[in-house]
Amino acid sequence: MPRTIIEPFRIKSVEPISWTTRLQREQLLRAAYYNLFLLPADDVLIDLLTDSGTGAMSTHQWAAMMEGDESYAGSRSFERFRSSVQDIFGYKHVIPTHQGRAAERILFRVMCKKGDVVPNNTHFDTTRANVEFVGAEAVDLVIAEGRQPSLKHPFKGNMDVAALDVLIQKVGRERVPLVMLTVTNNSGGGQPVSMENVKAVSAVCRKHGIPLYFDACRFAENSYFIKIREQGYEKKAPKEIAQEMFSYGDGCTMSAKKDGLANIGGFLCTNDDLLAQQEKNLLILTEGYPTYGGLAGRDLEAVAVGIQEALHEDYLEYRIASTAYLGNHIAEQGVPIVQPPGGHAIYIDARAFLPHIPPDYFPAVALANELYLEGGIRSVEIGTLMFGATAKMDLVRLAIPRRVYTQSHIDYVVEVILEVWKKREQIHGMKLTYEAPFLRHFTAKLEPVEVLTAARH
Ligand code: F0G
């Protein structure tokens, strides 16, 4: 009998979490205008809003932080950071940034102009916003299977290679300054990209002379999926797989708040000397000198250790198993989720969960609110509130912070979701009472509304 996959760590420092009563949560929700972003974090019991910057650091990371060299220029911590990044990613230039979106802003500012087109499997929202901010168009080319929540496929994050080739020929090579691949594909359900697909995308890019960049936030989780799902990689270490994957590209953007196992940090890499110079010039303008890029020396140390730890096989085995554990336990009872479970999160299909609530009554907001009300769990809507009427799906994302919650926390989450599943027919839709002109989901105000019968009209 295979043994239970356990957390490959023991707990040295604990942070209490707070219980609230249902009545308190009713009041707290009302005071937060039914928008979970507006809740004080202290009133959340299990916080699955994001896996970004919320991970627990190891003893090695905390020890390394004490070694942080806070010199303005030429810091020893930068040397350690660069050599750790180069060991895995292999790119010539390593530019530290305070988080992923700072790397994106600099990359697109330097490489793109108005009228350009940037293909990606699926752009994350900050990536899309940064592409559009410089007047370029962000195009999502994930394979058709990646757009169907209930369909199982081992690599639903793959890019449609033929569609990429057609797009480049249609708009012309000069208008495509770079191609991006997001590993794993966050907006598409945390689904991985196969090595075969990376190679095929890289070949199309080479054919047209276009550089390939990775949005590498969850590179370690993607590498592990390749190990367990792709033929020929079973015996390889996750690090070797990551090294091979990055060898097919020309650079990357990275948020170290995910698979960097750090609370803040990121970087931008490139093999291109001229671009690196321009990127560093822009970095100095707004982020900081190129040997710290807006981070403290101690942050660089935490990332240097974290990106290596994220590739440890026992950690990745536990990480992927614990996400799947949550997904499988709710799916077995009929809860509709994006299949198969992703690396960092489980996505509940709220349109299938609440078929009586039409998309314009925000079914995923309604469900996220109900999970909080029932058990103090905070999740996030990825759907009509976030993307407007063009949203193709209404999902509730339950993102799992790294090394933070134990199996009994996850068991509790499963119980709460199943309680809500039983009462699903009584859940009301929501309507907006305030919205900001852009990125409205962060500050929107809502209220519950009777739409139990709306679908029947
Ligand atoms: N790319 C992807 C795929 C991401 O998931 C994120 C952040 C970023 C880029 C931007 O990185 O936050 O360090 O600036 N995702 C977080 C999330 C916020 O909750 O999924 P950042």
Side-chain angles (χ1 to χ4, degrees), residues 325-437:
Y325 180 91
L326 169 58
N328 293 336
H329 276 79
I330 57 174
E332 272 164 20
Q333 300 301 316
V335 176
I337 64 166
V338 174
Q339 289 282 11
H344 68 295
I346 293 299
Y347 296 69
I348 301 178
D349 179 351
R351 286 189 195 171
F353 195 110
L354 301 171
H356 59 285
I357 304 181
D360 52 343
Y361 287 88
F362 307 110
V365 178
L367 180 55
N369 270 292
E370 202 62 29
L371 295 177
Y372 177 71
L373 199 59
E374 184 69 33
I377 298 166
R378 178 156 68 171
S379 53
V380 69
E381 186 250 19
I382 301 190
T384 307
L385 182 61
M386 188 179 270
F387 299 119
T390 57
K392 294 190 183 70
M393 298 190 254
D394 276 283
L395 304 174
V396 169
R397 184 183 75 169
L398 304 151
I400 309 190
R402 293 170 180 77
R403 306 191 292 207
V404 169
Y405 294 116
T406 62
Q407 186 169 334
S408 56
H409 289 116
I410 301 296
D411 283 331
Y412 171 85
V413 173
V414 169
E415 287 161 15
V416 171
I417 295 169
L418 295 181
E419 282 302 312
V420 172
W421 176 238
K422 275 191 233 145
K423 301 184 207 167
R424 62 190 180 278
E425 282 167 11
Q426 289 143 39
I427 298 173
H428 292 265
M430 309 295 289
K431 77 167 200 250
L432 271 171
T433 58
Y434 164 78
E435 62 178 308

Side-chain angles (χ1 to χ4, degrees), residues 209-453:
I210 299 171
L212 171 64
Y213 278 71
F214 290 92
D215 178 340
C217 301
R218 299 177 180 87
F219 74 96
E221 290 166 7
N222 201 96
S223 300
Y224 192 71
F225 277 122
I226 289 175
K227 181 180 171 71
I228 59 176
R229 292 186 185 166
E230 191 163 350
Q231 224 191 341
Y233 290 91
E234 307 83 352
K235 295 206 166 63
K236 296 216 161 137
K239 185 159 157 179
E240 285 175 87
I241 297 173
Q243 287 164 333
E244 181 185 338
M245 180 170 74
F246 293 125
S247 76
Y248 299 119
D250 303 279
C252 70
T253 57
M254 171 75 186
S255 168
K257 300 172 75 172
K258 285 88 170 171
D259 278 349
L261 292 170
N263 302 120
I264 196 71
F267 50 87
L268 170 58
C269 290
T270 180
N271 281 334
D272 186 313
D273 295 340
L274 184 65
L275 282 179
Q277 196 50 56
Q278 293 170 340
E279 286 162 0
K280 284 182 201 170
N281 290 344
L282 209 51
L283 186 84
I284 292 173
L285 197 63
T286 55
E287 294 278 311
Y289 191 74
T291 60
Y292 73 88
L295 294 169
R298 55 180 173 271
D299 299 327
L300 296 169
E301 297 278 355
V303 175
V305 177
I307 50 175
Q308 299 286 342
E309 282 183 358
L311 286 165
H312 290 179
E313 209 164 316
D314 54 356
Y315 160 73
L316 283 168
E317 182 187 29
Y318 136 79
R319 170 78 178 153
I320 300 305
S322 65
T323 307
Y325 180 91
L326 169 58
N328 293 336
H329 276 79
I330 57 174
E332 272 164 20
Q333 300 301 316
V335 176
I337 64 166
V338 174
Q339 289 282 11
H344 68 295
I346 293 299
Y347 296 69
I348 301 178
D349 179 351
R351 286 189 195 171
F353 195 110
L354 301 171
H356 59 285
I357 304 181
D360 52 343
Y361 287 88
F362 307 110
V365 178
L367 180 55
N369 270 292
E370 202 62 29
L371 295 177
Y372 177 71
L373 199 59
E374 184 69 33
I377 298 166
R378 178 156 68 171
S379 53
V380 69
E381 186 250 19
I382 301 190
T384 307
L385 182 61
M386 188 179 270
F387 299 119
T390 57
K392 294 190 183 70
M393 298 190 254
D394 276 283
L395 304 174
V396 169
R397 184 183 75 169
L398 304 151
I400 309 190
R402 293 170 180 77
R403 306 191 292 207
V404 169
Y405 294 116
T406 62
Q407 186 169 334
S408 56
H409 289 116
I410 301 296
D411 283 331
Y412 171 85
V413 173
V414 169
E415 287 161 15
V416 171
I417 295 169
L418 295 181
E419 282 302 312
V420 172
W421 176 238
K422 275 191 233 145
K423 301 184 207 167
R424 62 190 180 278
E425 282 167 11
Q426 289 143 39
I427 298 173
H428 292 265
M430 309 295 289
K431 77 167 200 250
L432 271 171
T433 58
Y434 164 78
E435 62 178 308
F438 51 88
L439 293 174
R440 64 178 181 172
H441 51 291
F442 290 120
T443 53
K445 295 179 180 171
L446 301 105
E447 64 186 29
V449 58
E450 265 295 343
V451 285
L452 288 174
T453 51

Side-chain angles (χ1 to χ4, degrees), residues 50 52 99-101 104 124 126-127 182 186 215 217-218 255 257-258 397:
T50 180
S52 182
Q99 60 184 82
R101 66 198 71 181
E104 292 161 13
F124 179 65
T126 61
T127 321
T182 306
N186 183 11
D215 178 340
C217 301
R218 299 177 180 87
S255 168
K257 300 172 75 172
K258 285 88 170 171
R397 184 183 75 169

